[in-house]
Amino acid sequence: MTSNLPCGRFAPSPTGLLHPGSLLAAFGSWLLARHHGGLWRLRIEDVDPPRTVAGAAQAQLQTLAAFGLAHDGPVIWQSARGDAYQAALDRLVADGHAFVCHCSRSDLAANGGLHHQCVARQPRADPAVRFRVPVGSVVHFEDGLRGRQQQDVHAEVGDFVLRRADGCWAYQLAVVVDDAAQGVNEVVRGADLLDSTARQILLQRALGLPTPRYWHLPLLLDAAGHKLSKSLAALPVEAREPGPALRRLWELLGQPSTALEGTDDRDALLAAAQRSFNPGLLPRADILLPAGALSPPMLQNPPSPT
């Protein structure tokens, strides 16, 4: 799927409700796509069943709809994409870019967990499949926010997993296959995924897929410097009153509050944001939030004890 239009996406994992950090990434991605008249895709990255929370995906979709962040085309669910991932894996194995690996974590512990050659002490009934990263695999790319990036994938990451020993598809393979299938050419996401980009570029090259442009938005950090995330029990966003949250997220993205003055209507706010958005004002560094900076009505109240 190819197009001259900018095409972004938001791809949450259904491990919990959307929190301010994830909604910031969604809004930033939506703004970059819509400001330039582009498309915005949606994907549910439920490729890891052990971490999937029942009902979380539908709740995330409802939150995005409540905030008016409409997407183009159907929602892709990674849990239904196994055949596409298998076809990509078969090609990588056939071309010598991937191999079956019987190494366990304990086998690799002596090398800091990095895989540079197989050192398995015995065969496994459920081996993983890894991507082969030769010596000298240094990847350079230009991040839209953070500038020139470089990673020596062999030295810093090693041969990385494409299909896990438990049979689950690895994130790196799934995201590359799906971005290409959805025609995504502008990947806008949180800076916690910056380290994954070089691996994904190596996979794109090996599969003959185009490499999108990458933008890694700042993370929201609490007063102690910890990333706001579902794993750290960050409160979910309040979807019943999207206006105040949209205004706050707009300001966190470095945009002038005056651009959204004059209306509290959600759709009018989004239209004004789409017109006024300036990518050059996006902050380059992570955002440290003082205590109470994200207060109701932006956040839901904690659930009542049962």
Side-chain angles (χ1 to χ4, degrees), residues 17 82 93 153 234 306:
L17 301 176
V93 171
V153 185
T306 56

Side-chain angles (χ1 to χ4, degrees), residues 38-297:
L39 304 172
W40 194 62
R41 308 292 191 191
L42 192 57
R43 179 167 73 237
I44 300 298
E45 296 197 334
D46 57 343
V47 74
D48 193 349
R51 296 182 63 241
T52 297
V53 174
Q58 289 301 331
Q60 291 173 345
L61 294 174
Q62 290 167 6
T63 298
L64 292 171
F67 277 85
L69 302 182
H71 61 277
D72 298 294
V75 178
I76 280 187
W77 296 72
Q78 287 189 332
S79 55
R81 299 271 296 154
D83 289 348
Y85 307 147
Q86 186 65 56
L89 185 69
D90 290 345
R91 176 176 174 181
L92 291 170
V93 171
D95 291 345
H97 293 299
F99 61 94
V100 173
C101 175
H102 293 269
C103 296
S104 65
R105 290 184 180 180
S106 59
D107 292 329
L108 299 175
N111 195 33
L114 297 183
H115 187 287
H116 289 145
Q117 61 180 356
C118 284
V119 292
R121 287 166 286 195
Q122 58 184 13
R124 301 176 65 176
D126 52 355
V129 180
R130 291 180 180 271
F131 185 79
R132 192 184 312 278
V133 183
V135 175
S137 297
V138 179
V139 174
H140 303 265
F141 67 96
E142 191 75 22
D143 187 84
L145 272 179
R146 295 167 187 255
R148 188 70 169 170
Q149 302 292 314
Q150 173 182 311
Q151 186 180 59
D152 185 332
V153 185
H154 174 82
E156 299 178 40
V157 179
D159 304 321
F160 54 90
V161 173
L162 301 175
R163 190 182 67 203
R164 298 181 343 203
D166 62 3
C168 291
W169 296 104
Y171 165 77
Q172 308 296 351
L173 178 64
V175 73
V176 163
V177 171
D178 290 342
D179 279 342
Q182 291 187 287
V184 173
N185 53 31
E186 295 270 350
V187 173
V188 183
R189 58 191 181 185
D192 52 334
L193 291 169
L194 181 61
D195 184 65
S196 292
T197 307
R199 277 171 277 178
Q200 291 166 19
I201 291 173
L202 287 180
L203 278 171
Q204 290 154 1
R205 292 172 179 172
L207 289 167
L209 301 176
T211 293
R213 187 179 186 195
Y214 290 94
W215 301 67
H216 288 88
L217 297 173
L219 302 178
L220 293 186
L221 309 177
D222 64 18
H226 301 130
K227 184 184 77 167
L228 294 180
S229 66
K230 294 182 287 290
S231 61
L232 292 178
L235 292 176
V237 293
E238 176 55 80
R240 290 173 296 181
E241 296 184 63
L246 285 170
R247 289 180 184 277
R248 186 70 180 109
L249 292 170
W250 173 258
E251 294 168 0
L252 290 171
L253 288 169
Q255 308 302 305
S257 59
T258 53
L260 303 188
E261 288 179 351
T263 182
D264 290 320
D265 177 75
R266 182 201 68 183
D267 293 340
L269 283 173
L270 289 174
Q274 183 175 327
R275 290 192 304 269
S276 304
F277 179 64
N278 183 353
L281 297 178
L282 288 169
R284 268 64 174 171
D286 292 339
I287 302 167
L288 187 66
L289 297 169
L294 296 178
S295 57

